[in-house]
Amino acid sequence: MRLTKEQENNKDALKVIFSSLIMVAKIFNSLNFQDLPEFFEDNMSPWMENFYTLLEIDNPLLKTGEDEDAGLLEQLKSQICDNVGMYAQKYDEEFAMYLPKFVTVVWKLLVTTGNQTKYDLLVSNAIQFLALVADRERYKNLFDDPATMSSICEKVIIPNMEFRETDEELFEDNAEEYIRRDIEGSDVDTRRRAACDLVRALSRHFEQQMTAIFGQYIQAMLTNYAVNPPQNWKNKDAAIYLVTSLASKGKTEKHGITQTNQLVNILEFYQAHILPELIHPSVNGLPVLKADAIKFIMVFRNQLPPIIVKEAIGPLVRLLTSSSSVVHTYAAYTIDKILLVRLTDSTALIKSADLSPFGTELLANLFSLFEKQGSKDNEYVMKAVMRSFSTLQNAITPLMGHVLPKLTEILLSVAKNPTKPHFNHYLFESLSLCVKIMCRVDTQYVAQFEEMLFPIFQQILNQDVTEFIPYVFQILSMLLRMHTNGIPDPYMGLFTLLLAPVLWDRPANIHPLVHLLQVYVRSDPQKVIDKLGSLLGIFQKLIASKSNDHEGLNLLRTLTEEIPDQAMAQYIKQIFILLFQRLTSSKTTKYVKCLLVYFGIFIYKYGAVIFLQTIDEIQPRMFGMVLDRIFISETQKVTGKTEKKILAIGIVKLLCDAPQTIVGDYSSYWPPLLQALVGLFELPEDMTDEQVDEHFVEIDEALGYQTTFSQLNFAKHAEKDPFNGTIPDAKLFLAQSLGKLSKENPGQLTPLISSGIAPAAQTFLIKYLEDSHVQIG
């Protein structure tokens, strides 16, 4: 600090000094971010005094040109604002005595700093500091004077909400970046976002006063706009932004605004100032205001009356024809969001019948955007296509002749150079929807889809377009499932290629490949028997991996269910040896859970006695260890409605169908095994298995071409019931099986139950028996 004064006329020395001070300020932030170290708590006074002094420094030698980036002075002050903001938020009590002084100096900094881009980060951090302070109950007295609030509004908030020339350039020349900042929320360091946060913070304590004060400024800006709209449109832009900030109290990405300021009449503002922009005859006039109006209805879609939101669809469809990339992208984005809005009964606000009158125009406008420069791979437009298909459902059938060739043309184009993960994902989702909707109407369409898509898929596989191959496997699974008379020859020609090791070396391929092989096996087990050894080789490779062992067990489960007993018999012992070797070498909770479910399937298919004998053939009396260390110890870790039912059926059969567990060598395990089963039944129900309407599923926003797999939401298929409806209720099955066992072993079960399982478990068991009208003796 001494050097800043000694060298205040030496520009080169000042650069070194202030570069060092910036580094010191950043290190200060890092050291204090997690917790307040004792050293800094004891020495807070010198640090804060020096920070305060640095915020007041203004040396002309360190200033940069108008159009240059932020200089050292701006960078240092910005970092200091960040530091004191952190202290105000995290270490309120310790920092309290210094805070009023910093509020004064930051306020002075804000009213004397220009609106050039180089000051953006400094102004943003300074406003964020004030927002943090204003949000605190103990400091609200610093802002409760109406004159103070008016001054904040006039000198800080409104100037930093204005649409600047740099914003206009971004809007026109780099629409993608403008959209990323505005609707994707990456504008965290912008002046507008900081000013918005300050409005919300002040509104928390002074909602009524803020609404009254800001209302005057909003009205003045709207009046000014009305005098000369082409010239004064920036006034209305700022007014809309200010109303949105003032009205918004709670917000989520999924639902938009969730809580509003009741003193702001959103509907009245919409009808007076937003709707006129949406329905204006010119779709290209005043594009920034068009974008503002579209964003307003998107943000308040859950607060505006449903009829108003419904009526906005027509204007939004028309605005898709705007030449402005931002306007037509916002229109597509908002259509997607509106199609996800639910009524109080959880049904969609916009149903197929509501959207159908706009269907032809909507899809024509959306697809025409892919021909415009800047929107050829616009992910928001493709997502709107996907959501429109999902809403229209069968109403899209007459339009399929137009849209499907367009989709395949786009697919061929992007396959040459896949660069936009989200766009490509929504493209394949849209194709999945076409297949699902059309083939549900008439299965004869399956052949038409295959004729159209197979050449493209073959090209993707031949050219090894790694990003698209997992999607191809998923759509092939969809199409193959729709064949009810075995596996057609073109699919069998592909089958051998699916077993190639190179495909299995890519993590993103594994899940869709396993699922596709499962569909092959279920479609015609006889046709794949000659490749059973290769399929089991894939199973062996997968269970050796901690990340893919569940996929290996899923494949084995399907083979066990579908392949005839005589074909599987020669492999069963070796399969069990591999399963236990993996359990011994690397036991994980995930593996144990999947293993138990597989055992449940095996027992259901082959019987409890075969299961017991197979294990004891590997090692005498090994079955007792399996019961004790796996079934009894780990059963209650299994989750998922289907998985729990499969395991429960398997355990019921172990309890009731294997004589060795009742009166033989393993009878001591019978009571604890029954108690483990009751515990499994009485675990809290796992709701993640409940069917969710696929239309309302928000596609993962973290899509990308990493090693992860991206599931096509609309290509998913309901899981097959392994019991084919023969066992509707596992508790009923247990009660009936115990009843039968009791008749075969009179007088033996009651003593085992009363002395071997806990009273709470006995109470549940008695209820199962009573509900099933079964008595045991």
Side-chain angles (χ1 to χ4, degrees), residues 382-395:
M382 187 55 79
K383 193 176 186 183
V385 169
M386 174 196 79
R387 200 73 63 191
S388 300
F389 284 2
S390 179
T391 301
L392 288 166
Q393 290 294 321
N394 291 355

Side-chain angles (χ1 to χ4, degrees), residues 437-495:
I437 292 166
M438 295 302 292
C439 297
R440 189 173 56 208
V441 172
D442 188 343
T443 53
Q444 291 184 359
Y445 285 113
V446 175
Q448 294 180 31
F449 277 107
E450 290 170 342
E451 186 180 344
M452 183 174 284
L453 295 175
F454 270 29
I456 303 173
F457 289 172
Q458 189 171 8
Q459 185 177 322
I460 289 169
L461 293 170
N462 289 341
Q463 294 179 358
D464 196 26
V465 185
T466 55
E467 299 92 341
F468 284 3
I469 289 175
Y471 293 125
V472 169
F473 292 152
Q474 291 177 74
I475 294 181
L476 285 173
S477 295
M478 278 186 82
L479 291 166
L480 180 54
R481 274 198 307 265
M482 292 171 184
H483 286 278
T484 53
N485 298 315
I487 306 170
D489 290 342
Y491 288 92
M492 283 311 301
L494 178 66
F495 183 67

Side-chain angles (χ1 to χ4, degrees), residues 182-198:
D182 196 33
I183 61 175
E184 290 184 13
S186 66
D187 60 343
V188 288
D189 292 328
T190 63
R191 294 176 181 236
R192 271 196 159 190
R193 172 59 67 88
C196 178
D197 290 344
L198 180 54

Side-chain angles (χ1 to χ4, degrees), residues 587-590 592-594 596-597 629-640 643-644 647 676 679-680 683 686:
K587 181 181 177 181
T588 65
T589 301
K590 175 167 72 90
V592 170
K593 286 159 69 173
C594 294
L596 280 167
V597 174
R629 298 179 190 177
I630 303 178
F631 279 92
I632 294 169
S633 301
E634 309 284 356
T635 282
Q636 292 191 37
K637 292 180 182 176
V638 173
T639 55
E643 289 79 2
K644 286 168 70 174
L647 175 56
L680 179 68
L683 282 174
D686 180 17

Side-chain angles (χ1 to χ4, degrees), residues 39-290:
F39 171 83
F40 288 103
E41 186 174 358
D42 294 341
N43 295 277
M44 192 178 295
S45 184
W47 279 96
M48 293 306 146
E49 285 172 10
N50 286 322
F51 279 162
Y52 180 84
T53 302
L54 289 169
L55 285 176
E56 288 199 308
I57 282 181
D58 186 19
N59 193 318
L61 293 178
L62 292 171
K63 289 194 174 180
T64 55
E66 289 290 312
D67 299 325
E68 294 180 35
D69 292 336
L72 295 173
L73 202 56
E74 290 80 44
Q75 292 176 47
L76 177 60
K77 290 182 179 183
S78 174
Q79 185 60 53
I80 290 171
C81 286
D82 197 23
N83 290 353
V84 294
M86 174 184 67
Y87 261 55
Q89 183 177 28
K90 290 173 174 273
Y91 315 120
D92 194 13
E93 289 184 17
E94 295 86 350
F95 185 62
M97 63 182 290
Y98 305 100
L99 189 134
K101 195 175 176 182
F102 277 102
V103 169
T104 303
V105 73
V106 169
W107 170 261
K108 181 181 173 184
L109 189 68
L110 282 169
V111 296
T112 56
T113 302
N115 67 351
Q116 293 92 331
T117 308
K118 65 178 181 177
Y119 298 124
D120 283 2
L121 186 58
L122 169 57
V123 171
S124 171
N125 283 349
I127 296 175
Q128 287 289 1
F129 168 72
L130 289 183
L132 286 167
V133 176
D135 196 48
R136 300 280 173 170
E137 180 75 28
R138 66 188 294 178
Y139 300 121
K140 68 179 184 179
N141 63 298
L142 295 173
F143 303 92
D144 61 3
D145 183 2
T148 303
M149 275 191 272
S150 292
S151 186
I152 289 172
C153 180
E154 184 180 340
K155 295 178 180 177
V156 176
I157 292 171
I158 290 176
N160 289 295
M161 279 193 176
E162 287 176 352
F163 200 78
R164 296 177 300 165
E165 193 176 319
T166 52
D167 298 320
E168 198 169 350
E169 289 172 3
L170 198 65
F171 186 96
E172 293 172 356
D173 302 333
N174 192 350
E176 195 170 342
E177 176 63 16
Y178 182 90
I179 292 161
R180 188 179 68 82
R181 289 186 183 184
D182 196 33
I183 61 175
E184 290 184 13
S186 66
D187 60 343
V188 288
D189 292 328
T190 63
R191 294 176 181 236
R192 271 196 159 190
R193 172 59 67 88
C196 178
D197 290 344
L198 180 54
V199 171
R200 288 202 185 106
L202 289 168
S203 297
R204 184 171 167 236
H205 301 299
F206 313 107
E207 186 171 80
Q208 192 166 350
Q209 300 96 306
M210 287 288 291
T211 306
I213 293 169
F214 279 69
Q216 296 171 14
Y217 287 100
I218 290 165
Q219 192 55 53
M221 287 187 281
L222 291 172
T223 302
N224 196 29
Y225 162 77
V227 171
N228 189 346
Q231 187 69 32
N232 301 333
W233 61 267
K234 289 184 181 180
N235 288 102
K236 184 168 183 178
D237 168 78
I240 293 172
Y241 204 89
L242 194 50
V243 168
T244 304
S245 304
L246 200 58
S248 311
K249 292 175 70 176
K251 179 181 178 182
T252 67
E253 174 66 24
K254 186 174 181 179
H255 300 292
I257 298 300
T258 55
Q259 190 179 5
T260 59
N261 178 345
Q262 298 302 310
L263 302 174
V264 179
N265 192 324
I266 296 168
L267 176 58
E268 185 181 286
F269 187 82
Y270 172 82
Q271 291 173 328
H273 304 289
I274 300 298
L275 186 58
E277 300 296 339
L278 294 174
I279 63 176
H280 194 280
S282 171
V283 295
N284 294 318
L286 301 177
V288 174
L289 293 186
K290 291 279 190 297

Side-chain angles (χ1 to χ4, degrees), residues 18 35 54 97 150 192 270 338 348 350 363 411 458 506 515 547 579 584 643 719:
F18 275 81
D35 200 1
L54 289 169
M97 63 182 290
S150 292
R192 271 196 159 190
Y270 172 82
I338 288 176
I350 309 291
L363 293 174
L411 178 57
Q458 189 171 8
R506 294 175 185 157
H515 184 66
S547 55
L579 291 173
T584 304
E643 289 79 2
E719 192 173 354

